[in-house]
Amino acid sequence: MTDTVNNPPTSITRVLLGLNAQQMMGLGVAVAATVAVLAGLFMWGQTPDYRVLYANLSDHDGGAIIESLQQQNIPYKFAEGGGALLVPANVVHEARLRLASQGLPKGGTVGFELMESQKFGTSQFLEQVNYQRSLEGELARSMQTLGAVQSARVHLAIPKPSVFVKEQQKPSASVVLALHPGRVLEPGQVNGIVHLVSSSIPNMPAQSVTVLDQSGNLLSSAHEGAEGTMDATQLKYVREIEQDYIKRIEAILIPITGQQNVKAQVTANIDFSQVEQTAESYKPNQRPNTAAVRSTQSLETLNGVANAGGVPGALSNQPAPNATAPIANAANAPGAAANNAANTRKEATSNYEVDRTIQHTKLPVGSIRRLSVAVVMNNRSVTEKGKIVSKPYTDAENAQITALVKDAMGFDPKRGDSLNLLNKAFNNEQEPPVPELPLWKQPEMIALAKEILKYLLIAGGVGFLLFGIIRPAFKNLAAQAAAQAEALAAAAAAEAARHHHGHGAGPYEEQKNSYEDNLQLAKDLTKSDPKIVASVVKEWVNKE
């Protein structure tokens, strides 16, 4: 029977069979450590990158969010120190959308849903308190929709209603805003928050709303809108007026000078005062034939009896004189007519309307008091002898350009407008270009490099274990097994030579066999005479 063996020095089975108990224990420990390290590297490579889902959660919102994540089988953990809730990076946006559909997080504020849980028998005072809390919560939620606001708290001071007008008090409010790091609120946004609160509470003036940030800085000013100050709307109006004049001036000059060869700046003095005027004027006396008659009165006296006539008035409304009986005398004779005519007297009085003018004028708000304009022009470029040179404009051209600018701006000397035109060569030094961010500094490449480095570390660890620890160990074991096999073969050959001395064993002593020949010889001796091999192994064990 032949025993075929392929590469005996590298056979793991033969190596393991040739180990003693101490070597087997060391090999087992090395294999277990290797498996543990490989498992740790694999788990580290499979661990997802955790990102912040929400931070600064209230206890109520945190419990509800964790319960929802558990139902969705989404792993989570808490950041050390910060208290932020972390989830795998690949499910952050999906988890936020799902939680938002469930109304989470609520932000620690309650709104009008507080009124839905009213208990039977609640007092009127408690109902009023819950209603005020609901208003505060709804206002806080509205403020948190602003991009710069991280959280908000609202405190309302609503006085009790009174039937007496003198005892009625105006409500007030205080708002505390927590802004995102690096974000600020513009004055217009603060003004919007103030009017949001004042418009939500009946009879609350805007001046009664105070807005603070998380650092205690007063964002709303109590003097906003007072006399002598300009609010955001007025400032915006002034900027729009100035920009409009700048566009007009540059639009009229760009076709002459070029796109980048003219710059204009305008300062507008705007009158925002509200003025109302009432004027009453009288003209000199007019001619009777052109004046309007107000009243006319005439009086005719005949023999001492007055016959009043004219338009109704104070004199015409007097009672009539007592009637007297006519006396027959010489006056009734025909010859007395001349005397009666001589005793007749007539009076006429005419009253004319006074020419009076009453004028009530309300001046417009936002009228321009004065305009100050400054224009800078670059020299024109001309070609002389094949070269481009810069030359200033002539005086006549500057005068024409000045006239164009005055017409474009509506120059009014009575208003005190001023115009300053300057023609100089521009300093066209180009700013150094902003260097692009190197590829190795880009965030995407940094994240990719981290992933590649992680897998390279895993591969390096595995390679070190395989080629630096396991393979040398097996090589040493194989070398020890081969040396033992050679020694066993040599000892067996020597023992066989001594045992078979004189029986043709001489060739064994002189022949230099190779490792395979010695190993095959040892196998043959083991099969033919196992006692010899057993005695050799026994001597080795005793020597150790």
Side-chain angles (χ1 to χ4, degrees), residues 441-452:
K441 286 187 178 181
Q442 297 180 1
E444 297 82 4
M445 297 305 299
I446 292 176
L448 180 61
K450 288 181 179 180
E451 292 294 326
I452 295 176

Side-chain angles (χ1 to χ4, degrees), residues 5 33 80 126 153 168 179 327 363 390 404 443 479 500:
V5 179
E80 297 181 0
L126 186 57
R153 294 193 67 184
Q168 290 181 357
L179 305 180
I327 301 175
L363 300 180
S390 176
L404 286 175
H500 298 285

Side-chain angles (χ1 to χ4, degrees), residues 297-301 304-322 347:
Q297 181 182 356
S298 62
L299 178 63
E300 183 177 355
T301 305
V305 178
N307 294 327
V311 296
L315 298 177
S316 61
N317 290 333
Q318 293 180 356
N322 296 329
E347 294 181 2

Side-chain angles (χ1 to χ4, degrees), residues 205-217:
Q207 291 79 7
S208 300
V209 180
T210 304
V211 182
L212 302 176
D213 62 2
Q214 69 269 28
S215 301
N217 299 321

